[in-house]
Amino acid sequence: MDVNDIQEEIISEFSLLDSDMEMTVFYIMELGQKLPVMNDALKTEENVVKGCQSKVWLTANLDDDKINFSADSNTAITKGLVSLLIRIFNGQSPEAILNANLYFMQKIGMERFIGTQRSNGFAAMIKQMKLYALAFKTKLEVKS
Amino acid sequence: MTTTSPALSTALDVEKIRKEFPILHQTVNGRDLVYFDNAATSQKPLVVINALTEYYKGYNANIHRGIHTLAEKATKAFEQTRLTAKDYINAKSEQEIIFTRGVTESINLVASSYGRTFIKEGDEIIVSELEHHSNIVPWQFVVEEKNATLKVIPVTDRGELDLDAYRKLLSPKTKIVSVNHASNSLGTVNPIKEIIRLAHEVGAVVFIDGAQAGAHLDIDVQDLDCDFYTVSAHKMYGPTGAGFLYGKKELLEKMPPYQGGGEMIKEVTFKKTTYNDLPHKFEAGTPNIADVVAFRYAMNFITETGRAAMAAHEHNLLEYATERVSRLKGVSLVGTAPEKVSVLSFTVDGIHPFDIGQMLDARGIAVRTGHHCTQPLMDRYGIEGTVRASFAVYNTKKEIDQLVEGLERVINFMK
């Protein structure tokens, strides 16, 4: 599935919650709980995403020209939000990530439950993921 | 607060009081709003909101120098608030009441004007571990600039100031002691009369940050004998951006102005400028007239409702909330001093305060989460932050039940 297919999938899942704020928050937390465990050795200061109110660690690997991210957070809701980004970007090419237009947040009304400060943090996460994509893209170009 | 009789709270008709606060009657995320963030800012009664509207509709004008009718009316209303403030804290003279933007500006004013003038190398300024950043950072500016030292009164596990340690910190080097009347993070009411008395014994002046006391505690600056005291209107059912600094006249007289501009001068020439009398010497520029005017109505609201009855009601709420919340699985209370204003701070094992705050918000309950601008205090307890529920006169036990229900939901989900 490409980036937009996954975004559409997420939008349709969230629409089932019928804008019930409590259900939505619980659902996001559940998504976070399902995120694969990040190795503690990777939770270094170097891997902290700057600009997040809560602590978020993010790393990335390149497997067969596709990127796979690993992340964790000290807060459950943030972890759930990160898991949505990972779901969209994992297994995509650096090119696809760099060109991705993320519109799902607006469609699911995310700004209503993450507020301005967390929105900034969310933008910082996306930026960090795209920076990884750019680094891997450059690496691949050098190789070829 | 514990000195008031809980029986008094029956004298309050809380439902009637709630009708005075239009903001409370709304739904948030599909549920009735429960506003438990009063230590950050309290809501405003109609009488305050109307005062603001009436000012702008009827007599908005710049004050003190106008010859026309509106200016006269605005000046009178503005100065009336000064008289009300004087009575509210029992100051000797209205000249001892300086209008500021609030507590933060008041502390900066004294740190800058008094601190920079009278603090010398080797002097010491004492604050406490309980302080809000606004009662730490301005003093750090002074000690850094003057090569002086900042000393800190430690706090006990229960959240009380360690007075024995304080006595040991005091010396002839101590020039300023600045502590809060009540803690914004834990609710602890500090024994400020004793703190002031001990500081005066070594010749230090004492600044009291009354941000969390203004709406909850009796304040008598003459009885306390404090040198400076400050409150913010917005934590006292009043508007944002206004507050006042009380200072003993003899101290204010010998302090240089904080800012230059209009109103604070007597005469300006390019050779020499002379400064205005108190309190105007410290009120440069056009002040926040409308909010200062409306602030009087907020203080009157508290006085007319009855400070003792309000305190008793809030104390009942605090006791009820403390008892109910502390029984929840994994909850640890942070700050269990016997004397508290209506602030309940707590952590829940394995759940980040942000998540709790967000979950409660989803149920229409507004609490504060994080370090509450008291990072050194959080470091002292080895925690990142707390969940803080703070109560005001319009809150009810039913709302606390909703808080408990919300907390139970989160705790059960995260298990």
Side-chain angles (χ1 to χ4, degrees):
Chain A
M1 285 209 289
D2 70 12
V3 164
N4 286 359
D5 290 338
I6 304 169
Q7 289 198 84
E8 288 303 328
E9 206 177 48
I10 290 169
I11 292 162
S12 113
E13 280 168 23
F14 272 79
S15 71
L16 298 174
L17 297 163
D18 202 22
S19 295
D20 181 299
M21 188 58 75
E22 195 179 20
M23 295 292 290
T24 306
V25 174
F26 274 140
Y27 183 60
I28 291 169
M29 283 183 173
E30 260 173 28
L31 293 175
Q33 286 172 340
K34 288 176 189 158
L35 193 68
V37 176
M38 188 186 202
N39 187 332
D40 278 343
L42 295 172
K43 292 181 193 173
T44 61
E45 205 49 43
E46 202 179 35
N47 291 331
V48 167
V49 179
K50 307 284 181 290
C52 286
Q53 213 183 0
S54 28
K55 232 175 177 136
V56 176
W57 297 272
L58 180 74
T59 59
N61 294 310
L62 193 65
D63 304 315
D64 294 338
D65 299 351
K66 305 285 185 207
I67 299 181
N68 279 309
F69 291 96
S70 175
D72 198 359
S73 171
N74 63 340
T75 82
I77 293 168
T78 307
K79 196 170 169 178
L81 295 171
V82 178
S83 82
L84 289 172
L85 290 177
I86 287 185
R87 179 172 158 190
I88 292 166
F89 284 153
N90 263 18
Q92 305 289 351
S93 67
E95 198 76 36
I97 294 170
L98 282 168
N99 295 332
N101 166 34
L102 295 182
Y103 56 84
F104 79 95
M105 301 91 83
Q106 205 181 346
K107 293 271 192 192
I108 65 174
M110 202 169 80
E111 75 287 345
R112 282 185 309 121
F113 53 81
I114 71 168
T116 320
Q117 280 180 307
R118 273 198 170 144
S119 292
N120 294 341
F122 200 72
M125 273 189 280
I126 295 168
K127 189 177 163 191
Q128 188 63 37
M129 289 171 128
K130 290 203 172 201
L131 280 172
Y132 270 118
L134 184 63
F136 286 129
K137 181 174 178 264
T138 311
K139 198 174 165 183
L140 288 170
E141 281 165 358
V142 169
K143 260 198 342 195
S144 58
Chain B
M1 275 193 69
T2 45
T3 52
T4 55
S5 157
L8 270 170
S9 67
T10 55
L12 279 188
D13 183 347
V14 177
E15 281 314 310
K16 187 165 167 257
I17 288 169
R18 284 178 69 82
K19 289 193 177 90
E20 294 291 315
F21 291 82
I23 200 169
L24 299 177
H25 309 286
Q26 62 174 300
T27 55
V28 169
N29 295 324
R31 292 167 188 261
D32 288 343
L33 167 69
V34 173
Y35 186 79
F36 283 160
D37 196 16
N38 296 287
T41 195
S42 51
Q43 299 304 349
K44 323 304 171 199
L46 270 171
V47 67
V48 170
I49 298 165
N50 292 344
L52 282 168
T53 311
E54 280 159 21
Y55 170 81
Y56 282 121
K57 277 183 174 174
Y59 57 102
N60 170 50
N62 214 328
I63 53 171
H64 291 138
R65 296 188 184 277
I67 199 78
H68 55 82
T69 303
L70 291 191
E72 183 56 31
K73 203 172 170 186
T75 302
K76 258 202 177 126
F78 185 86
E79 290 303 326
Q80 186 59 50
T81 301
R82 205 185 301 273
L83 292 170
T84 303
K86 167 192 154 290
D87 293 341
Y88 195 84
I89 60 163
N90 192 31
K92 271 187 202 157
S93 154
E94 64 271 24
Q95 285 188 300
E96 296 179 313
I97 305 291
I98 315 287
F99 287 120
T100 62
R101 282 189 295 116
V103 164
T104 299
E105 191 178 39
S106 300
I107 299 171
N108 276 281
L109 187 158
V110 175
S112 179
S113 171
Y114 185 90
R116 286 197 167 117
T117 307
F118 297 106
I119 296 295
K120 305 280 180 288
E121 186 170 346
D123 285 347
E124 291 175 355
I125 295 174
I126 295 178
V127 295
S128 90
E129 239 174 353
L130 274 179
E131 299 316 308
H132 187 279
H133 296 161
S134 61
N135 200 18
I136 299 171
V137 181
W139 304 114
Q140 285 177 325
F141 290 165
V142 178
V143 296
E144 277 167 26
E145 188 185 312
K146 297 291 176 182
N147 226 348
T149 309
L150 193 71
K151 299 272 185 176
V152 183
I153 308 166
V155 72
T156 67
D157 289 348
R158 288 206 306 181
E160 294 173 283
L161 293 184
D162 181 340
L163 285 190
D164 288 338
Y166 170 58
R167 283 189 192 91
K168 289 188 185 108
L169 288 176
L170 288 165
S171 80
K173 285 184 185 173
T174 312
K175 297 295 181 248
I176 299 171
V177 174
S178 189
V179 294
N180 60 45
H181 196 161
S183 152
N184 72 305
S185 288
L186 311 184
T188 310
V189 177
N190 291 315
I192 56 171
K193 200 168 173 178
E194 179 67 357
I195 287 168
I196 293 161
R197 190 185 64 76
L198 292 166
H200 285 172
E201 279 180 5
V202 297
V205 301
V206 184
F207 187 106
I208 302 294
D209 163 1
Q212 297 300 329
H216 305 287
L217 302 171
D218 276 327
I219 303 158
D220 182 336
V221 291
Q222 290 189 68
D223 177 57
L224 290 169
D225 195 28
C226 56
D227 301 287
F228 299 102
Y229 196 103
T230 183
V231 298
S232 289
H234 75 97
K235 293 188 199 288
M236 299 165 63
Y237 309 104
T240 53
F244 64 79
L245 165 71
Y246 157 83
K248 278 182 181 164
K249 196 174 168 186
E250 59 270 27
L251 289 174
L252 294 172
E253 294 278 18
K254 63 181 191 178
M255 285 160 56
Y258 173 52
Q259 290 179 326
E263 184 63 32
M264 51 74 70
I265 49 87
K266 250 200 183 97
E267 193 182 13
V268 178
T269 68
F270 285 115
K271 274 210 175 94
K272 186 169 171 50
T273 291
T274 51
Y275 305 128
N276 205 340
D277 299 328
L278 288 175
H280 310 295
K281 181 172 92 172
F282 290 106
E283 293 178 359
T286 300
N288 186 355
I289 306 165
D291 293 311
V292 167
V293 166
F295 185 17
R296 169 162 61 99
Y297 292 84
M299 285 186 277
N300 288 343
F301 165 80
I302 294 171
T303 305
E304 286 161 19
T305 308
R307 264 194 266 192
M310 286 168 89
H313 171 66
E314 289 163 3
H315 180 66
N316 280 348
L317 292 176
L318 178 67
E319 288 217 314
Y320 183 67
T322 302
E323 196 267 327
R324 290 221 56 197
V325 171
S326 63
R327 272 193 294 157
L328 297 172
K329 199 173 180 306
V331 164
S332 303
L333 299 183
V334 185
T336 51
E339 287 276 339
K340 280 176 68 171
V341 289
S342 46
V343 167
L344 184 69
S345 234
F346 58 93
T347 57
V348 183
D349 282 351
I351 313 177
H352 198 283
F354 282 173
D355 291 326
I356 295 171
Q358 190 98 57
M359 281 302 310
L360 292 173
D361 180 60
R363 297 173 70 86
I365 302 166
V367 295
R368 182 119 324 215
T369 59
H371 55 60
H372 318 300
C373 294
T374 55
Q375 274 177 314
L377 183 65
M378 297 297 126
D379 292 345
R380 151 70 176 85
Y381 290 115
I383 53 178
E384 245 185 292
T386 71
V387 180
R388 182 186 73 185
S390 48
F391 313 116
V393 68
Y394 39 67
N395 290 126
T396 64
K397 284 187 174 177
K398 186 179 149 218
E399 289 179 317
I400 290 166
D401 292 339
Q402 285 166 270
L403 169 74
V404 171
E405 195 185 321
L407 287 169
E408 279 171 339
R409 290 266 296 166
V410 188
I411 292 164
N412 290 336
F413 176 83
M414 296 293 282
K415 256 198 288 190

